[in-house]
Amino acid sequence: MTDPHAIQPSALDQLPDRDPEETAEWQASLDAVAQAAGPHRAAYLMRRTLERAEGNGIALPKLLETDYVNTIPTAAEPATPGDEAMEARITAWNRWNAAAMVTRGAKHGVGGHIATFASAAWLYETGFNHFFQGKEADGSGDQLYIQGHASPGIYARAFLDGRLNEGHLDNFRQEAGGNGLPSYPHPRRLPWLWEFPTVSMGLGPLSAIYQARFNRYLTNRGIKDVSASHVWAFLGDGEMDEPESTAALALAAREELDNLTFVINCNLQRLDGPVRANFKIVQELEAQFRGAGWNVVKTLWGSAWDELFRLDTTGALVRRLRQVPDAQVQTYQTRDAAYIRRDFFGADPALVEMAKLLSDDKILECFHLSRGGHEARKVYAAYKAAVEHKGAPTVILAQTVKGHTLGEGFASKNANHQMKKLSVDEFKAMRDLLELPISDSRFVDGVVPYGHPGADSPEVRYLQERRAALGGPAPARRTHALAPLPAPAEKAFAAFDKGSGSQNVATTMAFVRLVKDLVRDKETGRRWVPIVPDEARTFGMESLFPSLGIYSPKGQTYEPVDRDQLMYYKEAKNGQILNEGITEAGSMADFIAASTAYATHGEAMIPFYIFYSMFGWQRTADQMWQLGDQLGRGFLVGATAGRTTLTGEGLQHADGHSPVIAATNPAALTYDPAFAYEIGVIVKDGLRRMYGEAAPGEDPNVFYYLTVYNEPMPQPAKPAVPGIDEGIVKGLYRFNTAESADLSPAADAPRIQLLGSGTAIHWTLKAQRMLAEEWGVAADVWSATSWTELRRDALEADAALLRGEERLPYVRRALQGAEGPVLAVSDYMRQVPDQIAQWVEQDYSSLGADGFGLSDTRDAARRHFGVDAESIVVAALAQLARRGEVRATAVKEARERYGL
């Protein structure tokens, strides 16, 4: 079988050999070593030669895997500053309280996770004691992406340093009373502690990369110098299977993000079993990260292994460690010395001889306890190497034992993710192992006590002194008292108030034109962060390239092919546009970093991310939840929206459902504007609410989702209707009546109310004229800018009613007194307009584009879905016929006339 890693002869044949005789001598030398000392020795020499070549800058393919040993040998480890014994006592208290918190919570049925922090405790404690910069020093401090299942350990540390009390710990996962702790890192639920929500697996590593990149963006653009901030992402080895976890590794290396460190807790277990039962996850991850261009530091074995490596004069131990699959390493953790002698050492005669020199206690110490991730000195050495490495991000692969110190019932057991508590006897054994001064008398009625050495104890003083030296508590989120951003000039928002005249303008173009004006604003223009996944030209944004520049940390090292054109492709180190390539997930991670800069860095940034509406919420709705949880602010723009407006593109490009998905997110304000002037009103109000002065009771921690269309249509002037801006923002206003549209209905003409959103307003207006001219029906047309906001307001009115407060939903107030039935139309599935049905007093019906999309012309697609003007006319006549207001035969007659 061909070795997939070997350089194939066909490739070598293309390289000229200037000295074949010298080449033959090298090959003969390798053959001689293999024959005399064995193939393992030959392989060792080749690896060392490749390492030397790489160290000397000789251009060779990188060595993707190294031996299954520590990158930093014991002899090269720097001395750890501080008091190691004191830090061990602090870590012991935190281990205890994390386990006690979850066990006590289990009595209420809320559970929790114990084993993850038990394995990762030193990975966190070493950082808190020596590396993680707080927010009270200069700059923004470090950004910490905490592994979600390790949250009990972080709460335990906050309890030790006085930021939480026993009442908080007893309310772990019990938030309804308002004094509880969320299960995982949730900024919306605990905004003074958590910065980043991370427990939706894979989003933490992706976001960490783009946060580190956005830090560079802020610095390079001169917004704020955050070059001292370091991003730390704590991850599980099982989590790395999520595609988002590794989706942006190349970007981090390409942009040389040495302000970023991944710490992967390689306890070899995922939620239900081994991560790579028959393989080795550490080696796989090393190859993956090295291949992507990262610096890799492996911290696998504890100091107890030093003696074994000294005895390994033949390399047999290192070879055996490379051979043993992860599931077998997990098994060694639970077996006695005799089994390990037989299965591990018995595989090689040289190892059999080595084992004779080792006591059973030594074997058990190595295979049960001694892992690099459990020793502060080895973790410190890895972290120091990471922060000092320049030119590339670093990943630390730290091997640990899941459930470490929790007893034999937990350590390395496949089920430990689901094990939520320890017995009293197990706690007492843990106490003795950790040498904690907790007496048996404190276990009252089987309840495990919390442990605390005292607010003025040496442990607490040491912890607080270390944090003070590093810039204050961590993790911590700061809500800065930022001055409201000044409102941009009114001229930009009013640009379309007079309409477009004879010019047809798509609402996508109207939005882009508005942004062009806003980014030129002297006060706030530089705070806009335009984000687009590769299709800027599709959305008419190419004119922004030369004026704003596309961000690149390298600037522009080439002459662009279109340099002689007015709208050439301009990259710049201080560029403002984030043009991400084809990655919706990466673009959303950009958006999240920018939208939360007001808290992370004390700098309000205004991101807008424009994308194909079909490929935004459908692909990255989980990140939208992350955005809402992280209290992000900004504008998401679903362009080329709707199911029938994107001619010819077909099923996979036709969005008929993004507002439905968006409606599920409590932080998303979803708008489907029909006209350019509506976009101006919505964006203006969004800037006021999120970045200016929110009204009493308004939450500024929201984001806006606007659907805009690529169909050029005439843009009408803004009607002189009282309260129109309020109606646009709240979601509904009357655009015209049959009378104001000069349709001259008869005094006794049957009347209907037509509600349209987005591009559907144009078919609705056509239907209004057809109803009047062909059927003698008077129709009033309403623009429904937000079905979702109408529903949200109505739900709040219902809740107020339950509290005894009289409050009428806005949709009912707006339609109050409107004659006739209501017919709602949108370019989305009927579920979108049907959101408001129960609060409309009039007879209510709807039309929408339900089903899959299809490739065809716009007119044909609308006829297919039954949302074109003719279909609206027939549906309106049917409603009126049911009420006896038009003759029943009119419906059949209309269907035949229009070929329906």
mmCIF file of all heavy atoms in Angstrom, residues 52-93:
data_model
loop_
_atom_site.group_PDB
_atom_site.id
_atom_site.type_symbol
_atom_site.label_atom_id
_atom_site.label_comp_id
_atom_site.label_asym_id
_atom_site.label_seq_id
_atom_site.Cartn_x
_atom_site.Cartn_y
_atom_site.Cartn_z
ATOM 1 N N ARG A 52 16.139 19.994 12.148
ATOM 2 C CA ARG A 52 17.283 20.905 12.018
ATOM 3 C C ARG A 52 17.121 21.769 10.761
ATOM 4 O O ARG A 52 17.401 22.977 10.776
ATOM 5 C CB ARG A 52 18.585 20.095 11.955
ATOM 6 C CG ARG A 52 19.838 20.932 11.682
ATOM 7 C CD ARG A 52 20.073 21.984 12.781
ATOM 8 N NE ARG A 52 20.279 21.374 14.066
ATOM 9 C CZ ARG A 52 21.480 20.984 14.549
ATOM 10 N NH1 ARG A 52 22.551 21.173 13.817
ATOM 11 N NH2 ARG A 52 21.574 20.460 15.730
ATOM 12 N N ALA A 53 16.670 21.150 9.667
ATOM 13 C CA ALA A 53 16.471 21.911 8.434
ATOM 14 C C ALA A 53 15.433 23.007 8.643
ATOM 15 O O ALA A 53 15.620 24.154 8.222
ATOM 16 C CB ALA A 53 16.038 20.972 7.310
ATOM 17 N N GLU A 54 14.354 22.656 9.308
ATOM 18 C CA GLU A 54 13.301 23.652 9.556
ATOM 19 C C GLU A 54 13.836 24.776 10.433
ATOM 20 O O GLU A 54 13.568 25.958 10.203
ATOM 21 C CB GLU A 54 12.098 22.977 10.220
ATOM 22 C CG GLU A 54 10.913 23.910 10.414
ATOM 23 C CD GLU A 54 9.702 23.198 11.004
ATOM 24 O OE1 GLU A 54 9.606 21.965 10.853
ATOM 25 O OE2 GLU A 54 8.867 23.880 11.618
ATOM 26 N N GLY A 55 14.616 24.416 11.459
ATOM 27 C CA GLY A 55 15.192 25.416 12.349
ATOM 28 C C GLY A 55 16.153 26.352 11.641
ATOM 29 O O GLY A 55 16.300 27.522 12.034
ATOM 30 N N ASN A 56 16.811 25.865 10.582
ATOM 31 C CA ASN A 56 17.761 26.689 9.823
ATOM 32 C C ASN A 56 17.099 27.421 8.659
ATOM 33 O O ASN A 56 17.782 28.053 7.849
ATOM 34 C CB ASN A 56 18.896 25.806 9.287
ATOM 35 C CG ASN A 56 19.832 25.356 10.398
ATOM 36 O OD1 ASN A 56 19.919 25.990 11.448
ATOM 37 N ND2 ASN A 56 20.514 24.233 10.181
ATOM 38 N N GLY A 57 15.768 27.310 8.569
ATOM 39 C CA GLY A 57 15.070 28.034 7.514
ATOM 40 C C GLY A 57 15.194 27.408 6.147
ATOM 41 O O GLY A 57 14.939 28.075 5.137
ATOM 42 N N ILE A 58 15.586 26.139 6.073
ATOM 43 C CA ILE A 58 15.685 25.459 4.785
ATOM 44 C C ILE A 58 14.283 25.073 4.330
ATOM 45 O O ILE A 58 13.514 24.485 5.088
ATOM 46 C CB ILE A 58 16.582 24.208 4.896
ATOM 47 C CG1 ILE A 58 18.000 24.627 5.321
ATOM 48 C CG2 ILE A 58 16.607 23.434 3.582
ATOM 49 C CD1 ILE A 58 18.916 23.466 5.612
ATOM 50 N N ALA A 59 13.929 25.412 3.129
ATOM 51 C CA ALA A 59 12.575 25.203 2.622
ATOM 52 C C ALA A 59 12.320 23.730 2.359
ATOM 53 O O ALA A 59 12.752 23.176 1.346
ATOM 54 C CB ALA A 59 12.352 26.019 1.355
ATOM 55 N N LEU A 60 11.653 23.076 3.283
ATOM 56 C CA LEU A 60 11.253 21.681 3.144
ATOM 57 C C LEU A 60 9.818 21.543 3.646
ATOM 58 O O LEU A 60 9.353 22.360 4.440
ATOM 59 C CB LEU A 60 12.162 20.767 3.983
ATOM 60 C CG LEU A 60 13.564 20.498 3.458
ATOM 61 C CD1 LEU A 60 14.362 19.729 4.495
ATOM 62 C CD2 LEU A 60 13.499 19.699 2.160
ATOM 63 N N PRO A 61 9.116 20.531 3.186
ATOM 64 C CA PRO A 61 7.787 20.291 3.762
ATOM 65 C C PRO A 61 7.894 20.126 5.277
ATOM 66 O O PRO A 61 8.834 19.501 5.779
ATOM 67 C CB PRO A 61 7.333 18.987 3.088
ATOM 68 C CG PRO A 61 8.116 18.926 1.822
ATOM 69 C CD PRO A 61 9.445 19.547 2.139
ATOM 70 N N LYS A 62 6.933 20.677 6.000
ATOM 71 C CA LYS A 62 6.984 20.621 7.455
ATOM 72 C C LYS A 62 6.751 19.204 7.943
ATOM 73 O O LYS A 62 6.028 18.418 7.336
ATOM 74 C CB LYS A 62 5.920 21.548 8.061
ATOM 75 C CG LYS A 62 6.244 23.026 7.933
ATOM 76 C CD LYS A 62 5.186 23.851 8.652
ATOM 77 C CE LYS A 62 5.516 25.334 8.571
ATOM 78 N NZ LYS A 62 6.736 25.671 9.310
ATOM 79 N N LEU A 63 7.350 18.888 9.065
ATOM 80 C CA LEU A 63 7.110 17.631 9.751
ATOM 81 C C LEU A 63 5.792 17.780 10.505
ATOM 82 O O LEU A 63 5.684 18.586 11.423
ATOM 83 C CB LEU A 63 8.253 17.341 10.722
ATOM 84 C CG LEU A 63 8.284 15.969 11.385
ATOM 85 C CD1 LEU A 63 8.573 14.900 10.343
ATOM 86 C CD2 LEU A 63 9.346 15.939 12.471
ATOM 87 N N LEU A 64 4.770 17.053 10.100
ATOM 88 C CA LEU A 64 3.438 17.272 10.653
ATOM 89 C C LEU A 64 3.216 16.583 11.990
ATOM 90 O O LEU A 64 2.343 16.984 12.751
ATOM 91 C CB LEU A 64 2.374 16.824 9.651
ATOM 92 C CG LEU A 64 2.317 17.619 8.347
ATOM 93 C CD1 LEU A 64 1.132 17.172 7.508
ATOM 94 C CD2 LEU A 64 2.225 19.115 8.624
ATOM 95 N N GLU A 65 3.959 15.534 12.263
ATOM 96 C CA GLU A 65 3.816 14.862 13.550
ATOM 97 C C GLU A 65 5.166 14.693 14.205
ATOM 98 O O GLU A 65 6.166 14.431 13.532
ATOM 99 C CB GLU A 65 3.183 13.471 13.377
ATOM 100 C CG GLU A 65 1.708 13.473 13.113
ATOM 101 C CD GLU A 65 1.136 12.060 13.127
ATOM 102 O OE1 GLU A 65 1.627 11.213 13.911
ATOM 103 O OE2 GLU A 65 0.219 11.791 12.346
ATOM 104 N N THR A 66 5.176 14.843 15.522
ATOM 105 C CA THR A 66 6.368 14.539 16.304
ATOM 106 C C THR A 66 6.036 13.368 17.214
ATOM 107 O O THR A 66 4.901 12.894 17.252
ATOM 108 C CB THR A 66 6.783 15.758 17.146
ATOM 109 O OG1 THR A 66 5.709 16.107 18.036
ATOM 110 C CG2 THR A 66 7.106 16.942 16.253
ATOM 111 N N ASP A 67 7.029 12.885 17.925
ATOM 112 C CA ASP A 67 6.787 11.747 18.801
ATOM 113 C C ASP A 67 5.760 12.086 19.873
ATOM 114 O O ASP A 67 5.506 13.256 20.186
ATOM 115 C CB ASP A 67 8.102 11.311 19.463
ATOM 116 C CG ASP A 67 9.015 10.583 18.490
ATOM 117 O OD1 ASP A 67 8.492 9.804 17.673
ATOM 118 O OD2 ASP A 67 10.236 10.795 18.543
ATOM 119 N N TYR A 68 5.206 11.040 20.474
ATOM 120 C CA TYR A 68 4.159 11.218 21.482
ATOM 121 C C TYR A 68 4.801 11.524 22.837
ATOM 122 O O TYR A 68 4.676 10.779 23.814
ATOM 123 C CB TYR A 68 3.299 9.957 21.546
ATOM 124 C CG TYR A 68 1.917 10.180 22.125
ATOM 125 C CD1 TYR A 68 0.969 10.909 21.425
ATOM 126 C CD2 TYR A 68 1.565 9.656 23.363
ATOM 127 C CE1 TYR A 68 -0.297 11.117 21.939
ATOM 128 C CE2 TYR A 68 0.301 9.854 23.890
ATOM 129 C CZ TYR A 68 -0.618 10.585 23.177
ATOM 130 O OH TYR A 68 -1.880 10.789 23.691
ATOM 131 N N VAL A 69 5.491 12.652 22.848
ATOM 132 C CA VAL A 69 6.193 13.101 24.056
ATOM 133 C C VAL A 69 5.997 14.602 24.181
ATOM 134 O O VAL A 69 5.463 15.255 23.285
ATOM 135 C CB VAL A 69 7.703 12.762 23.991
ATOM 136 C CG1 VAL A 69 7.924 11.263 23.939
ATOM 137 C CG2 VAL A 69 8.359 13.444 22.788
ATOM 138 N N ASN A 70 6.441 15.156 25.284
ATOM 139 C CA ASN A 70 6.312 16.592 25.506
ATOM 140 C C ASN A 70 7.199 17.371 24.546
ATOM 141 O O ASN A 70 8.350 16.992 24.296
ATOM 142 C CB ASN A 70 6.703 16.946 26.939
ATOM 143 C CG ASN A 70 5.750 16.350 27.963
ATOM 144 O OD1 ASN A 70 4.680 15.877 27.608
ATOM 145 N ND2 ASN A 70 6.138 16.386 29.226
ATOM 146 N N THR A 71 6.679 18.469 24.027
ATOM 147 C CA THR A 71 7.477 19.347 23.179
ATOM 148 C C THR A 71 8.610 19.985 23.968
ATOM 149 O O THR A 71 9.732 20.133 23.469
ATOM 150 C CB THR A 71 6.580 20.447 22.577
ATOM 151 O OG1 THR A 71 5.525 19.829 21.837
ATOM 152 C CG2 THR A 71 7.366 21.368 21.669
ATOM 153 N N ILE A 72 8.315 20.366 25.208
ATOM 154 C CA ILE A 72 9.316 20.998 26.073
ATOM 155 C C ILE A 72 9.804 19.960 27.077
ATOM 156 O O ILE A 72 9.060 19.563 27.983
ATOM 157 C CB ILE A 72 8.721 22.206 26.812
ATOM 158 C CG1 ILE A 72 8.125 23.204 25.812
ATOM 159 C CG2 ILE A 72 9.767 22.879 27.683
ATOM 160 C CD1 ILE A 72 7.334 24.330 26.457
ATOM 161 N N PRO A 73 11.032 19.483 26.943
ATOM 162 C CA PRO A 73 11.537 18.494 27.905
ATOM 163 C C PRO A 73 11.694 19.107 29.290
ATOM 164 O O PRO A 73 11.802 20.325 29.438
ATOM 165 C CB PRO A 73 12.887 18.081 27.318
ATOM 166 C CG PRO A 73 13.291 19.213 26.440
ATOM 167 C CD PRO A 73 12.025 19.826 25.915
ATOM 168 N N THR A 74 11.709 18.253 30.299
ATOM 169 C CA THR A 74 11.793 18.729 31.687
ATOM 170 C C THR A 74 12.979 19.640 31.896
ATOM 171 O O THR A 74 12.886 20.675 32.575
ATOM 172 C CB THR A 74 11.845 17.536 32.643
ATOM 173 O OG1 THR A 74 10.650 16.756 32.487
ATOM 174 C CG2 THR A 74 11.951 17.994 34.085
ATOM 175 N N ALA A 75 14.120 19.293 31.320
ATOM 176 C CA ALA A 75 15.331 20.084 31.533
ATOM 177 C C ALA A 75 15.206 21.492 30.972
ATOM 178 O O ALA A 75 15.914 22.407 31.406
ATOM 179 C CB ALA A 75 16.524 19.371 30.889
ATOM 180 N N ALA A 76 14.304 21.677 30.017
ATOM 181 C CA ALA A 76 14.161 22.995 29.395
ATOM 182 C C ALA A 76 13.020 23.817 29.995
ATOM 183 O O ALA A 76 12.774 24.938 29.560
ATOM 184 C CB ALA A 76 13.932 22.831 27.894
ATOM 185 N N GLU A 77 12.331 23.273 30.979
ATOM 186 C CA GLU A 77 11.216 23.996 31.579
ATOM 187 C C GLU A 77 11.708 25.168 32.425
ATOM 188 O O GLU A 77 12.611 25.006 33.241
ATOM 189 C CB GLU A 77 10.382 23.064 32.462
ATOM 190 C CG GLU A 77 9.622 22.008 31.693
ATOM 191 C CD GLU A 77 8.989 20.959 32.599
ATOM 192 O OE1 GLU A 77 9.154 21.072 33.845
ATOM 193 O OE2 GLU A 77 8.355 20.045 32.072
ATOM 194 N N PRO A 78 11.112 26.343 32.252
ATOM 195 C CA PRO A 78 11.502 27.473 33.097
ATOM 196 C C PRO A 78 10.957 27.294 34.502
ATOM 197 O O PRO A 78 9.977 26.585 34.729
ATOM 198 C CB PRO A 78 10.827 28.670 32.404
ATOM 199 C CG PRO A 78 9.627 28.080 31.726
ATOM 200 C CD PRO A 78 10.041 26.701 31.294
ATOM 201 N N ALA A 79 11.604 27.925 35.430
ATOM 202 C CA ALA A 79 11.116 27.892 36.805
ATOM 203 C C ALA A 79 9.781 28.616 36.881
ATOM 204 O O ALA A 79 9.571 29.638 36.222
ATOM 205 C CB ALA A 79 12.124 28.552 37.737
ATOM 206 N N THR A 80 8.858 28.071 37.669
ATOM 207 C CA THR A 80 7.552 28.693 37.817
ATOM 208 C C THR A 80 7.613 29.767 38.889
ATOM 209 O O THR A 80 8.013 29.484 40.031
ATOM 210 C CB THR A 80 6.497 27.644 38.216
ATOM 211 O OG1 THR A 80 6.531 26.572 37.284
ATOM 212 C CG2 THR A 80 5.114 28.258 38.240
ATOM 213 N N PRO A 81 7.250 30.997 38.566
ATOM 214 C CA PRO A 81 7.243 32.031 39.596
ATOM 215 C C PRO A 81 6.098 31.796 40.573
ATOM 216 O O PRO A 81 5.116 31.135 40.247
ATOM 217 C CB PRO A 81 7.028 33.316 38.791
ATOM 218 C CG PRO A 81 6.291 32.880 37.577
ATOM 219 C CD PRO A 81 6.798 31.507 37.261
ATOM 220 N N GLY A 82 6.226 32.356 41.745
ATOM 221 C CA GLY A 82 5.143 32.217 42.706
ATOM 222 C C GLY A 82 5.346 31.029 43.620
ATOM 223 O O GLY A 82 6.388 30.353 43.626
ATOM 224 N N ASP A 83 4.335 30.756 44.404
ATOM 225 C CA ASP A 83 4.367 29.726 45.440
ATOM 226 C C ASP A 83 3.574 28.527 44.942
ATOM 227 O O ASP A 83 2.344 28.535 44.950
ATOM 228 C CB ASP A 83 3.755 30.306 46.720
ATOM 229 C CG ASP A 83 3.885 29.369 47.911
ATOM 230 O OD1 ASP A 83 3.929 28.148 47.697
ATOM 231 O OD2 ASP A 83 3.915 29.874 49.047
ATOM 232 N N GLU A 84 4.275 27.482 44.503
ATOM 233 C CA GLU A 84 3.592 26.328 43.932
ATOM 234 C C GLU A 84 2.717 25.625 44.951
ATOM 235 O O GLU A 84 1.618 25.153 44.626
ATOM 236 C CB GLU A 84 4.617 25.346 43.351
ATOM 237 C CG GLU A 84 5.333 25.880 42.115
ATOM 238 C CD GLU A 84 6.221 24.831 41.460
ATOM 239 O OE1 GLU A 84 5.819 23.651 41.443
ATOM 240 O OE2 GLU A 84 7.303 25.192 40.975
ATOM 241 N N ALA A 85 3.188 25.539 46.199
ATOM 242 C CA ALA A 85 2.391 24.879 47.235
ATOM 243 C C ALA A 85 1.104 25.657 47.510
ATOM 244 O O ALA A 85 0.025 25.075 47.681
ATOM 245 C CB ALA A 85 3.213 24.733 48.520
ATOM 246 N N MET A 86 1.209 26.968 47.534
ATOM 247 C CA MET A 86 0.027 27.797 47.753
ATOM 248 C C MET A 86 -0.972 27.634 46.601
ATOM 249 O O MET A 86 -2.187 27.514 46.810
ATOM 250 C CB MET A 86 0.435 29.262 47.894
ATOM 251 C CG MET A 86 -0.728 30.218 48.131
ATOM 252 S SD MET A 86 -1.494 29.968 49.727
ATOM 253 C CE MET A 86 -0.220 30.699 50.785
ATOM 254 N N GLU A 87 -0.462 27.622 45.385
ATOM 255 C CA GLU A 87 -1.343 27.465 44.236
ATOM 256 C C GLU A 87 -2.011 26.093 44.230
ATOM 257 O O GLU A 87 -3.162 25.955 43.798
ATOM 258 C CB GLU A 87 -0.557 27.707 42.950
ATOM 259 C CG GLU A 87 -0.126 29.168 42.801
ATOM 260 C CD GLU A 87 0.786 29.426 41.613
ATOM 261 O OE1 GLU A 87 0.847 28.546 40.725
ATOM 262 O OE2 GLU A 87 1.431 30.485 41.568
ATOM 263 N N ALA A 88 -1.299 25.078 44.726
ATOM 264 C CA ALA A 88 -1.904 23.749 44.826
ATOM 265 C C ALA A 88 -3.054 23.756 45.828
ATOM 266 O O ALA A 88 -4.091 23.112 45.600
ATOM 267 C CB ALA A 88 -0.849 22.727 45.235
ATOM 268 N N ARG A 89 -2.911 24.488 46.947
ATOM 269 C CA ARG A 89 -3.996 24.558 47.930
ATOM 270 C C ARG A 89 -5.203 25.298 47.349
ATOM 271 O O ARG A 89 -6.348 24.905 47.553
ATOM 272 C CB ARG A 89 -3.520 25.236 49.216
ATOM 273 C CG ARG A 89 -2.498 24.428 49.996
ATOM 274 C CD ARG A 89 -2.478 24.794 51.466
ATOM 275 N NE ARG A 89 -2.095 26.178 51.713
ATOM 276 C CZ ARG A 89 -0.836 26.613 51.792
ATOM 277 N NH1 ARG A 89 0.161 25.748 51.605
ATOM 278 N NH2 ARG A 89 -0.569 27.869 52.051
ATOM 279 N N ILE A 90 -4.936 26.391 46.623
ATOM 280 C CA ILE A 90 -6.031 27.134 45.990
ATOM 281 C C ILE A 90 -6.772 26.240 44.999
ATOM 282 O O ILE A 90 -8.013 26.198 44.962
ATOM 283 C CB ILE A 90 -5.479 28.384 45.284
ATOM 284 C CG1 ILE A 90 -4.975 29.404 46.311
ATOM 285 C CG2 ILE A 90 -6.534 29.016 44.379
ATOM 286 C CD1 ILE A 90 -4.201 30.551 45.702
ATOM 287 N N THR A 91 -6.040 25.501 44.198
ATOM 288 C CA THR A 91 -6.655 24.614 43.217
ATOM 289 C C THR A 91 -7.461 23.524 43.907
ATOM 290 O O THR A 91 -8.548 23.145 43.431
ATOM 291 C CB THR A 91 -5.576 23.998 42.311
ATOM 292 O OG1 THR A 91 -4.813 25.051 41.716
ATOM 293 C CG2 THR A 91 -6.184 23.143 41.218
ATOM 294 N N ALA A 92 -6.971 23.038 45.033
ATOM 295 C CA ALA A 92 -7.706 22.007 45.779
ATOM 296 C C ALA A 92 -9.052 22.535 46.262
ATOM 297 O O ALA A 92 -10.087 21.855 46.152
ATOM 298 C CB ALA A 92 -6.867 21.523 46.957
ATOM 299 N N TRP A 93 -9.074 23.757 46.802
ATOM 300 C CA TRP A 93 -10.347 24.354 47.225
ATOM 301 C C TRP A 93 -11.301 24.488 46.039
ATOM 302 O O TRP A 93 -12.511 24.216 46.162
ATOM 303 C CB TRP A 93 -10.110 25.734 47.849
ATOM 304 C CG TRP A 93 -9.536 25.730 49.226
ATOM 305 C CD1 TRP A 93 -8.316 26.206 49.612
ATOM 306 C CD2 TRP A 93 -10.165 25.241 50.421
ATOM 307 N NE1 TRP A 93 -8.135 26.046 50.960
ATOM 308 C CE2 TRP A 93 -9.255 25.459 51.482
ATOM 309 C CE3 TRP A 93 -11.387 24.640 50.678
ATOM 310 C CZ2 TRP A 93 -9.542 25.081 52.793
ATOM 311 C CZ3 TRP A 93 -11.675 24.268 51.994
ATOM 312 C CH2 TRP A 93 -10.765 24.496 53.029
#
